[in-house]
Amino acid sequence: MTSRGTFSDEPLSPAGRLFIDPKTDVVIHCIAISKNPIDLDVAKTALKSSVLVQHPRFCSLLVRDENGFEHWRRTELDIDRHFIVINNRLNKPGKFVGEHETQGFDDDEGDGDGEEAVNQYVADLSVSSPLSMDKPLWELHLLKAHKCVVFRIHHALGDGFSLMSMLMAGSGKVDVPAVVPAAVPPIKTEGIKSGKRRDWFWLLSLLWGVIKMVRYTLVFVLEFVVRSLFVCDRKTVISGGKGVELWPRKLATAKFLLEDMKEVKRAIPNTTINDVLLAMVSSGLSRYLEHRTPNALHEGLRLTGVAMVNVRANPRLQELSEVMEKNSKARWGNKFGATLIPVFHHKGGNNPLQYLKRVKVMNDKKKYSMEAYFTYKIRDLVMTLLGPKYVCLLYYKLLCNTTFTISNFVGPLEHITLAGYPISNIKFNTSSLPQAISMHMLSYAGRVEMQLLVAKDIIPDPEFLAKCFQDALLEMRTAAIATNKA
């Protein structure tokens, strides 16, 4: 929408301009499954009084002035225009079925057919349904027969951190809906021992840490630039490329228990859940590639992923009021940088924990670097000097040169309610990218689910890929239990 800018308009952030370019246009999909049937009027009433409609981003149009610069402009919000209601049940291909065809379907929340149908509905949205620019850039799809709500929110409105803060602010505990549930566990702190030897040791450790930070930052930022411009992963049966973002999609869900991940984490000191996730991805992709192309790939083949990393000074989830403060260290918006995530193809061995050990060596180096912060600053600098066209081309090239996108978010620690409805399941993904596979993981009340969005002409069996990831974690868990008992 083109319009003359006004003093009340708020300019779009550099990252926001990145996400509205046709090549890198991204919509976030959040799927919430209710335990009870959802009443349309109740849902609308709850939405009208929610924190979502009070947020300026969700009540603003995206307009472009005569100079080509984008702005947010406040407008009158018409809730009815943002609701899309699907009364009929969906079948596995994500198509509507008539009432006479619904016999034999189980309405239970654990119905696998229903999950596949909702997944395919969202997969179709990820390719063929951009958000309309003549209203604020969000929608709510109510799939009544599946007791499901699909929130579609344009990435220009905010990143996963911002949107998760809003989700938590609008939720309640199951037993006390008026109370906002906990999103993250409390920080554990340890006292610092004093003494001259301790002081000298601390000083030397700090100096060595700075040296490693400078070294690894230079190495990884240089690699990021080279990967964005020239170098690409070797082509495999799961590789995407230019134009693949327009190909039809399939969506599958890999399911895990958070306690299983913690069991694996305890097997190797100073390991994180992210280390376990990437070890699981490395093992799962290796399994899948061996299934599709037995003995065709050499040992140690690199597959590169792209992860968006929160660069806020306070990276932990905060209350929405804190996120909205002007000088907050956890400010609302798109505050992230990109980092490359290398995983390597290895045939199965006797010790599944070898995948975790390899991943930990690389991740320990990544933790010392400021790769994400520098890519965030480089993006803003290029946007300022050359404009959004060149930033979008660089990011599009980066996605074409790599194999997958991955993200991991910590969700609510306990079951929550939304609009008074108890929620049994939450998961999310984004619209399609040039890569043939995108992986988005979210934990919720002790369970972890990873959404696998794939180009179905390249990866026709995402359910098997999901099983590869699940089996990889179970094998690592079995090995970890034996290690922990030893």
Side-chain angles (χ1 to χ4, degrees):
M1 179 180 294
T2 303
S3 176
R4 183 181 297 274
T6 68
F7 290 109
S8 61
D9 292 348
E10 184 178 351
L12 193 63
S13 68
R17 299 179 77 185
L18 169 68
F19 287 125
I20 64 171
D21 186 88
K23 283 185 174 294
T24 50
D25 185 273
V26 177
V27 177
I28 299 172
H29 298 134
C30 179
I31 305 169
I33 310 294
S34 171
K35 292 184 178 180
N36 304 323
I38 302 173
D39 182 86
L40 176 60
D41 293 331
V42 172
K44 284 187 177 181
T45 300
L47 188 62
K48 288 177 182 178
S49 60
S50 69
V51 294
L52 185 145
V53 299
Q54 299 170 24
H55 192 287
R57 285 284 187 277
F58 290 80
C59 303
S60 299
L61 295 173
L62 182 64
V63 300
R64 185 175 285 109
D65 62 26
E66 62 267 20
N67 297 317
F69 292 102
E70 298 84 3
H71 301 264
W72 297 110
R73 176 171 299 170
R74 293 296 291 265
T75 186
E76 196 70 31
L77 191 64
D78 183 357
I79 291 290
D80 292 331
R81 293 191 64 203
H82 293 268
F83 261 87
I84 297 175
V85 181
I86 309 296
N87 290 304
N88 289 0
R89 194 175 182 92
L90 303 170
N91 57 18
K92 284 186 180 182
K95 307 301 182 184
F96 304 129
V97 298
E99 292 184 5
H100 66 284
E101 299 176 272
T102 61
Q103 295 182 357
F105 282 105
D106 184 5
D107 286 332
D108 185 72
E109 64 183 79
D111 176 26
D113 289 347
E115 181 180 63
E116 288 185 33
V118 171
N119 275 348
Q120 190 54 49
Y121 178 82
V122 176
D124 292 339
L125 288 177
S126 71
V127 180
S128 59
S129 300
L131 292 170
S132 174
M133 300 290 285
D134 64 354
K135 62 183 180 182
L137 297 177
W138 62 274
E139 289 177 346
L140 191 152
H141 292 230
L142 175 57
L143 309 181
K144 295 188 70 174
H146 296 274
K147 298 180 287 188
C148 171
V149 172
V150 180
F151 294 94
R152 302 191 71 216
I153 302 170
H154 202 284
H155 213 316
L157 272 66
D159 57 16
F161 175 93
S162 300
L163 299 176
M164 185 59 67
S165 297
M166 172 167 285
L167 173 70
M168 295 304 302
S171 66
K173 290 190 173 186
V174 173
D175 51 347
V176 189
V179 177
V180 176
V184 292
I187 300 176
K188 296 180 180 179
T189 58
E190 297 182 359
I192 299 177
K193 298 179 181 179
S194 60
K196 289 186 177 181
R197 290 188 62 186
R198 168 67 64 174
D199 291 342
W200 276 109
F201 178 76
W202 178 85
L203 184 60
L204 291 173
S205 298
L206 178 63
L207 180 60
W208 179 236
V210 171
I211 292 172
K212 288 199 288 187
M213 181 192 71
V214 173
R215 176 191 173 191
Y216 290 136
T217 298
L218 288 173
V219 170
F220 291 135
V221 170
L222 179 60
E223 181 192 16
F224 183 91
V225 173
V226 172
R227 180 73 56 170
S228 300
L229 296 174
F230 310 112
V231 179
C232 65
D233 282 355
R234 177 184 167 181
K235 293 298 181 183
T236 67
V237 292
I238 62 172
S239 297
K242 184 177 180 181
V244 173
E245 70 275 11
L246 303 176
W247 293 18
R249 252 48 184 184
K250 289 185 74 173
L251 184 63
T253 306
K255 301 179 180 182
F256 316 96
L257 291 177
L258 185 58
E259 188 55 43
D260 288 349
M261 290 185 163
K262 291 179 178 178
E263 184 73 50
V264 176
K265 173 177 171 288
R266 287 190 285 267
I268 299 176
N270 302 317
T271 299
T272 66
I273 292 295
N274 277 337
D275 294 333
V276 176
L277 166 63
L278 294 179
M280 185 176 68
V281 168
S282 178
S283 176
L285 289 178
S286 295
R287 290 163 180 261
Y288 184 79
L289 289 169
E290 278 299 302
H291 168 74
R292 290 281 301 274
T293 53
N295 301 316
L297 302 176
H298 66 79
E299 188 78 359
L301 173 71
R302 170 172 167 152
L303 303 170
T304 308
V306 179
M308 302 303 173
V309 179
N310 181 10
V311 296
R312 292 170 174 85
N314 187 348
R316 293 169 65 86
L317 275 179
Q318 304 294 314
E319 292 186 6
L320 187 62
S321 57
E322 171 71 15
V323 174
M324 293 304 300
E325 287 183 8
K326 193 168 186 178
N327 297 319
S328 171
K329 293 182 179 180
R331 185 85 191 275
W332 178 281
N334 283 292
K335 307 291 184 183
F336 65 85
T339 184
L340 299 181
I341 304 293
V343 298
F344 299 90
H345 169 67
H346 292 281
K347 296 179 182 179
N350 295 326
N351 185 3
L353 293 179
Q354 285 297 326
Y355 288 100
L356 182 57
K357 293 176 181 178
R358 296 187 195 102
V359 163
K360 187 180 185 311
V361 170
M362 174 56 68
N363 277 3
D364 285 348
K365 296 176 183 178
K366 289 279 183 178
K367 291 169 191 173
Y368 274 104
S369 82
M370 298 183 68
E371 178 186 4
Y373 179 79
F374 274 88
T375 57
Y376 169 73
K377 289 299 184 181
I378 290 171
R379 180 194 68 207
D380 286 2
L381 179 63
V382 175
M383 185 78 74
T384 301
L385 297 178
L386 301 177
K389 176 182 177 181
Y390 291 94
V391 175
C392 295
L393 286 174
L394 286 173
Y395 266 80
Y396 186 79
K397 182 74 171 175
L398 174 67
L399 296 175
C400 290
N401 287 347
T402 51
T403 302
F404 61 90
T405 293
I406 189 167
S407 64
N408 176 26
F409 279 96
V410 178
L413 301 179
E414 56 189 301
H415 284 95
I416 63 172
T417 63
L418 291 173
Y421 290 98
I423 302 301
S424 63
N425 199 354
I426 303 174
K427 45 195 173 184
F428 81 102
N429 56 71
T430 66
S431 52
S432 55
L433 298 170
Q435 296 153 327
I437 176 171
S438 300
M439 297 174 273
H440 302 283
M441 192 172 84
L442 177 70
S443 63
Y444 175 58
R447 295 187 300 175
V448 180
E449 296 201 359
M450 178 192 288
Q451 291 285 84
L452 306 173
L453 184 68
V454 303
K456 66 180 183 180
D457 292 332
I458 298 175
I459 303 176
D461 50 355
E463 296 82 9
F464 178 74
L465 178 59
K467 186 177 184 302
C468 289
F469 291 136
Q470 292 171 173
D471 290 346
L473 178 62
L474 291 177
E475 283 196 6
M476 285 192 287
R477 175 181 176 272
T478 301
I481 290 175
T483 300
N484 294 337
K485 287 182 178 179

mmCIF file of all heavy atoms in Angstrom, residues 111-130:
data_model
loop_
_atom_site.group_PDB
_atom_site.id
_atom_site.type_symbol
_atom_site.label_atom_id
_atom_site.label_comp_id
_atom_site.label_asym_id
_atom_site.label_seq_id
_atom_site.Cartn_x
_atom_site.Cartn_y
_atom_site.Cartn_z
ATOM 1 N N ASP A 111 -5.726 -37.984 17.814
ATOM 2 C CA ASP A 111 -6.004 -38.578 16.511
ATOM 3 C C ASP A 111 -4.905 -38.246 15.517
ATOM 4 O O ASP A 111 -4.678 -37.094 15.175
ATOM 5 C CB ASP A 111 -7.357 -38.034 16.026
ATOM 6 C CG ASP A 111 -7.705 -38.504 14.625
ATOM 7 O OD1 ASP A 111 -7.200 -39.572 14.243
ATOM 8 O OD2 ASP A 111 -8.464 -37.803 13.947
ATOM 9 N N GLY A 112 -4.218 -39.324 15.034
ATOM 10 C CA GLY A 112 -3.128 -39.109 14.090
ATOM 11 C C GLY A 112 -3.594 -38.565 12.767
ATOM 12 O O GLY A 112 -2.926 -37.727 12.149
ATOM 13 N N ASP A 113 -4.757 -39.039 12.268
ATOM 14 C CA ASP A 113 -5.286 -38.540 11.004
ATOM 15 C C ASP A 113 -5.558 -37.041 11.092
ATOM 16 O O ASP A 113 -5.299 -36.294 10.159
ATOM 17 C CB ASP A 113 -6.569 -39.287 10.631
ATOM 18 C CG ASP A 113 -6.303 -40.731 10.219
ATOM 19 O OD1 ASP A 113 -5.124 -41.060 9.990
ATOM 20 O OD2 ASP A 113 -7.255 -41.518 10.137
ATOM 21 N N GLY A 114 -6.115 -36.607 12.235
ATOM 22 C CA GLY A 114 -6.395 -35.190 12.404
ATOM 23 C C GLY A 114 -5.136 -34.348 12.408
ATOM 24 O O GLY A 114 -5.104 -33.263 11.822
ATOM 25 N N GLU A 115 -4.082 -34.857 13.047
ATOM 26 C CA GLU A 115 -2.817 -34.125 13.067
ATOM 27 C C GLU A 115 -2.235 -34.011 11.664
ATOM 28 O O GLU A 115 -1.759 -32.932 11.269
ATOM 29 C CB GLU A 115 -1.818 -34.827 13.985
ATOM 30 C CG GLU A 115 -0.480 -34.110 14.068
ATOM 31 C CD GLU A 115 0.497 -34.813 14.993
ATOM 32 O OE1 GLU A 115 0.864 -35.966 14.693
ATOM 33 O OE2 GLU A 115 0.887 -34.210 16.008
ATOM 34 N N GLU A 116 -2.276 -35.086 10.910
ATOM 35 C CA GLU A 116 -1.763 -35.043 9.540
ATOM 36 C C GLU A 116 -2.563 -34.058 8.689
ATOM 37 O O GLU A 116 -2.003 -33.353 7.851
ATOM 38 C CB GLU A 116 -1.813 -36.441 8.912
ATOM 39 C CG GLU A 116 -0.778 -37.404 9.472
ATOM 40 C CD GLU A 116 -0.798 -38.732 8.739
ATOM 41 O OE1 GLU A 116 -1.087 -38.732 7.528
ATOM 42 O OE2 GLU A 116 -0.523 -39.760 9.369
ATOM 43 N N ALA A 117 -3.878 -34.016 8.895
ATOM 44 C CA ALA A 117 -4.727 -33.107 8.124
ATOM 45 C C ALA A 117 -4.394 -31.649 8.435
ATOM 46 O O ALA A 117 -4.264 -30.818 7.529
ATOM 47 C CB ALA A 117 -6.197 -33.393 8.426
ATOM 48 N N VAL A 118 -4.244 -31.330 9.727
ATOM 49 C CA VAL A 118 -3.894 -29.957 10.115
ATOM 50 C C VAL A 118 -2.505 -29.599 9.592
ATOM 51 O O VAL A 118 -2.283 -28.493 9.086
ATOM 52 C CB VAL A 118 -3.966 -29.800 11.645
ATOM 53 C CG1 VAL A 118 -3.397 -28.446 12.068
ATOM 54 C CG2 VAL A 118 -5.395 -29.951 12.131
ATOM 55 N N ASN A 119 -1.572 -30.531 9.688
ATOM 56 C CA ASN A 119 -0.225 -30.286 9.174
ATOM 57 C C ASN A 119 -0.252 -29.960 7.684
ATOM 58 O O ASN A 119 0.425 -29.023 7.227
ATOM 59 C CB ASN A 119 0.662 -31.515 9.415
ATOM 60 C CG ASN A 119 1.278 -31.530 10.796
ATOM 61 O OD1 ASN A 119 1.238 -30.545 11.524
ATOM 62 N ND2 ASN A 119 1.842 -32.664 11.176
ATOM 63 N N GLN A 120 -1.038 -30.704 6.912
ATOM 64 C CA GLN A 120 -1.073 -30.450 5.480
ATOM 65 C C GLN A 120 -1.774 -29.129 5.166
ATOM 66 O O GLN A 120 -1.396 -28.425 4.230
ATOM 67 C CB GLN A 120 -1.768 -31.596 4.744
ATOM 68 C CG GLN A 120 -1.633 -31.514 3.228
ATOM 69 C CD GLN A 120 -0.179 -31.400 2.780
ATOM 70 O OE1 GLN A 120 0.678 -32.172 3.216
ATOM 71 N NE2 GLN A 120 0.120 -30.421 1.928
ATOM 72 N N TYR A 121 -2.786 -28.785 5.952
ATOM 73 C CA TYR A 121 -3.447 -27.484 5.788
ATOM 74 C C TYR A 121 -2.442 -26.350 5.978
ATOM 75 O O TYR A 121 -2.384 -25.399 5.183
ATOM 76 C CB TYR A 121 -4.588 -27.368 6.797
ATOM 77 C CG TYR A 121 -5.330 -26.049 6.752
ATOM 78 C CD1 TYR A 121 -6.327 -25.818 5.803
ATOM 79 C CD2 TYR A 121 -5.049 -25.036 7.669
ATOM 80 C CE1 TYR A 121 -7.012 -24.611 5.767
ATOM 81 C CE2 TYR A 121 -5.732 -23.833 7.644
ATOM 82 C CZ TYR A 121 -6.710 -23.622 6.692
ATOM 83 O OH TYR A 121 -7.386 -22.416 6.655
ATOM 84 N N VAL A 122 -1.624 -26.454 7.022
ATOM 85 C CA VAL A 122 -0.615 -25.422 7.285
ATOM 86 C C VAL A 122 0.475 -25.449 6.222
ATOM 87 O O VAL A 122 0.981 -24.401 5.805
ATOM 88 C CB VAL A 122 -0.024 -25.596 8.696
ATOM 89 C CG1 VAL A 122 1.100 -24.600 8.950
ATOM 90 C CG2 VAL A 122 -1.112 -25.436 9.753
ATOM 91 N N ALA A 123 0.853 -26.644 5.760
ATOM 92 C CA ALA A 123 1.862 -26.753 4.701
ATOM 93 C C ALA A 123 1.400 -26.033 3.440
ATOM 94 O O ALA A 123 2.183 -25.357 2.770
ATOM 95 C CB ALA A 123 2.151 -28.221 4.400
ATOM 96 N N ASP A 124 0.119 -26.166 3.094
ATOM 97 C CA ASP A 124 -0.414 -25.466 1.924
ATOM 98 C C ASP A 124 -0.391 -23.949 2.136
ATOM 99 O O ASP A 124 -0.098 -23.190 1.209
ATOM 100 C CB ASP A 124 -1.837 -25.932 1.626
ATOM 101 C CG ASP A 124 -1.899 -27.385 1.154
ATOM 102 O OD1 ASP A 124 -0.846 -27.888 0.685
ATOM 103 O OD2 ASP A 124 -2.961 -28.010 1.267
ATOM 104 N N LEU A 125 -0.700 -23.513 3.352
ATOM 105 C CA LEU A 125 -0.644 -22.075 3.651
ATOM 106 C C LEU A 125 0.770 -21.527 3.494
ATOM 107 O O LEU A 125 0.960 -20.358 3.135
ATOM 108 C CB LEU A 125 -1.124 -21.812 5.081
ATOM 109 C CG LEU A 125 -2.612 -21.968 5.386
ATOM 110 C CD1 LEU A 125 -2.850 -21.745 6.869
ATOM 111 C CD2 LEU A 125 -3.453 -21.017 4.557
ATOM 112 N N SER A 126 1.770 -22.354 3.770
ATOM 113 C CA SER A 126 3.155 -21.879 3.780
ATOM 114 C C SER A 126 3.653 -21.496 2.398
ATOM 115 O O SER A 126 4.662 -20.806 2.268
ATOM 116 C CB SER A 126 4.076 -22.952 4.378
ATOM 117 O OG SER A 126 4.208 -24.041 3.496
ATOM 118 N N VAL A 127 2.962 -21.933 1.345
ATOM 119 C CA VAL A 127 3.409 -21.646 -0.015
ATOM 120 C C VAL A 127 2.470 -20.700 -0.741
ATOM 121 O O VAL A 127 2.899 -19.743 -1.394
ATOM 122 C CB VAL A 127 3.543 -22.957 -0.834
ATOM 123 C CG1 VAL A 127 4.016 -22.660 -2.254
ATOM 124 C CG2 VAL A 127 4.503 -23.918 -0.157
ATOM 125 N N SER A 128 1.171 -20.923 -0.610
ATOM 126 C CA SER A 128 0.220 -20.315 -1.543
ATOM 127 C C SER A 128 -0.618 -19.184 -0.978
ATOM 128 O O SER A 128 -1.463 -18.649 -1.680
ATOM 129 C CB SER A 128 -0.729 -21.410 -2.069
ATOM 130 O OG SER A 128 -1.416 -22.024 -0.993
ATOM 131 N N SER A 129 -0.410 -18.800 0.278
ATOM 132 C CA SER A 129 -1.327 -17.845 0.899
ATOM 133 C C SER A 129 -0.591 -16.710 1.597
ATOM 134 O O SER A 129 -0.434 -16.716 2.827
ATOM 135 C CB SER A 129 -2.243 -18.569 1.904
ATOM 136 O OG SER A 129 -3.000 -19.551 1.263
ATOM 137 N N PRO A 130 -0.134 -15.695 0.856
ATOM 138 C CA PRO A 130 0.471 -14.527 1.520
ATOM 139 C C PRO A 130 -0.586 -13.731 2.267
ATOM 140 O O PRO A 130 -1.782 -13.809 1.964
ATOM 141 C CB PRO A 130 1.041 -13.728 0.333
ATOM 142 C CG PRO A 130 0.183 -14.118 -0.826
ATOM 143 C CD PRO A 130 -0.174 -15.559 -0.609
#
